[in-house]
Amino acid sequence: MELNRIISAIKEKQSEIKSVFFVGCGASKAELYPAKYFLEGNAKHLRTSLYTANEFNYATPVSVDDTSIVITCSLGGATPETVEATTLAKEKGAHVIAVTHVEDSAITTDAEYVVYHGFHESYAAKMEKMTKVLGLATEILNQFEGYQHYEKMLDGFDKIYGLIENAVSSVVPQAKAFADAYKDDEVIYVMSSGATHEVAYSFSICLLMEMQWINSGTFHDGEFFHGPFEIVDKDVPFLLLMNDGKTRGMDARALEFLQRFDAKTTVVDAKDFGLGSAISSEVVDYFNPMLISGVIRVYAEQLAIVRNHPLTKRRYMWKLEY
């Protein structure tokens, strides 16, 4: 109801919203993607965009005004670029919603509305940021245009956290096998499609490159056959995130090619954790990212253990001015 009330309050002030902007950096930016993907696929009139914060700051879209909603996101609420973007959006007259884990953090200062989420309490709590932003997008669509599957989305929100906890409780053996098999690889490629596309991206740039110092590349399954597949060969390491929903065919096509040439392939498949059995087929696409993100967090943790390289270890971040 919190999210419903926020969007209702915006609608009371501004009856017409034309644009929705999602703004963040790194993992927070990636966790905004499912909401952007949802609106793009279902809104008939609303324009939607996803920006890394400094792009928003340096090249601010002219449509940022009182007919736009800007949703900014930062886990700790202190990411300088995102704090600046929040202030800028307010100055432009937009209706600004900040999403963060930390109360009264810098990102909240110039936000008209604030959504707080969990993180440390459980694997499901780590997915609250992504889930609540998708909830905001659902309310925006339903209140400003109407959405025929609104109740099915609400049902999905009720079930997703339990599905995540059930999934991670059973996945440690597979995660350990992944860690043992990939611990010495110099590069790991990560792929997916649909709403899960930027889950692959964040696993690549954050959990592998940032937190494990492992070279990585990521690409959409639909783009795989337009360049990246040329590097496929026996034992080249891939992590493929498979969706339950409309874009599964792209995932399956990529998997078949990887297997044909004996690439070193690990698959994390939402179907294996019962997503489609619990959530309606009309909306299941949008819940893949939360479930898969929870599962691969365990994979990253096991990789960190076997490599004796904690996920909190950094070379530059928080240590240098940059």
Side-chain angles (χ1 to χ4, degrees):
M1 292 301 294
E2 168 203 22
L3 308 181
N4 178 286
R5 286 194 293 267
I6 288 172
I7 305 307
S8 293
I10 292 173
K11 191 173 182 181
E12 286 179 9
K13 297 176 183 177
Q14 184 72 38
S15 60
E16 183 183 23
I17 292 294
K18 297 180 180 179
S19 304
V20 182
F21 297 92
F22 299 96
V23 183
C25 297
S28 288
K29 170 186 168 290
E31 288 173 310
L32 295 166
Y33 183 78
K36 184 248 192 186
Y37 183 86
F38 167 81
L39 280 180
E40 280 188 330
N42 293 285
K44 294 181 179 180
H45 305 291
L46 287 164
R47 297 170 54 191
T48 181
S49 302
L50 175 63
Y51 275 83
T52 188
N54 250 359
E55 181 80 15
F56 184 86
N57 296 333
Y58 281 106
T60 311
V62 296
S63 54
V64 178
D65 59 19
D66 61 354
T67 66
S68 60
I69 295 172
V70 177
I71 300 173
T72 63
C73 188
S74 169
L75 175 63
T79 307
E81 301 97 313
T82 312
V83 173
E84 181 182 344
T86 304
T87 300
L88 176 61
K90 177 186 178 183
E91 291 172 351
K92 295 286 185 180
H95 306 272
V96 186
I97 306 169
V99 182
T100 184
H101 174 60
V102 179
E103 291 189 20
D104 300 324
S105 53
I107 196 175
T108 70
T109 301
D110 285 326
E112 191 174 4
Y113 309 95
V114 181
V115 174
Y116 292 107
H117 61 84
F119 187 76
H120 300 290
E121 301 87 344
S122 65
Y123 288 97
K126 290 179 180 6
M127 300 304 117
E128 284 185 17
K129 185 198 307 181
M130 191 187 300
T131 307
K132 287 191 174 188
V133 174
L134 178 61
L136 286 169
T138 302
E139 290 296 337
I140 291 168
L141 178 64
N142 190 57
Q143 294 195 37
F144 285 95
E145 289 193 18
Y147 179 46
Q148 62 177 328
H149 301 308
Y150 176 70
E151 295 298 331
K152 292 176 180 177
M153 286 293 288
L154 296 186
D155 183 63
F157 290 128
D158 285 340
K159 293 175 177 176
I160 190 60
Y161 295 128
L163 287 167
I164 292 166
E165 289 301 311
N166 287 339
V168 299
S169 69
S170 66
V171 82
V172 172
Q174 298 97 302
K176 286 183 175 179
F178 167 82
D180 288 337
Y182 286 72
K183 66 181 185 297
D184 296 321
D185 286 315
E186 295 183 357
V187 62
I188 301 173
Y189 298 105
V190 191
M191 306 167 58
S192 194
S193 67
T196 311
H197 168 50
E198 288 217 1
V199 172
Y201 169 74
S202 63
F203 191 86
S204 178
I205 72 160
C206 295
L207 288 160
L208 292 179
M209 298 177 76
E210 175 190 334
M211 300 183 191
Q212 288 296 289
W213 305 350
I214 295 174
N215 291 323
S216 184
T218 183
F219 27 82
H220 193 287
D221 289 349
E223 289 291 286
F224 180 55
F225 295 98
H226 302 278
F229 77 142
E230 286 292 341
I231 55 91
V232 174
D233 204 348
K234 182 176 173 58
D235 296 328
V236 175
F238 285 85
L239 174 62
L240 176 63
L241 312 179
M242 292 194 71
N243 294 278
D244 188 345
K246 297 183 182 71
T247 66
R248 186 175 178 84
M250 284 192 283
D251 304 333
R253 183 187 178 202
L255 177 60
E256 188 278 330
F257 191 87
L258 294 171
Q259 292 174 334
R260 189 196 311 179
F261 293 97
D262 294 321
K264 183 178 180 177
T265 307
T266 292
V267 176
V268 175
D269 189 344
K271 275 186 176 291
D272 290 341
F273 304 102
L275 186 68
S277 300
I279 294 179
S280 172
S281 60
E282 287 86 357
V283 300
V284 70
D285 296 72
Y286 312 115
F287 293 93
N288 283 283
M290 299 84 180
L291 180 62
I292 291 175
S293 290
V295 169
I296 61 175
R297 179 79 186 192
V298 183
Y299 279 55
E301 290 170 351
Q302 292 301 319
L303 187 62
I305 291 169
V306 75
R307 298 182 74 244
N308 193 28
H309 186 123
L311 294 176
T312 53
K313 187 176 181 178
R314 300 291 187 275
R315 184 164 23 205
Y316 308 123
M317 189 174 286
W318 310 317
K319 296 182 177 181
L320 300 176
E321 293 292 330
Y322 48 86

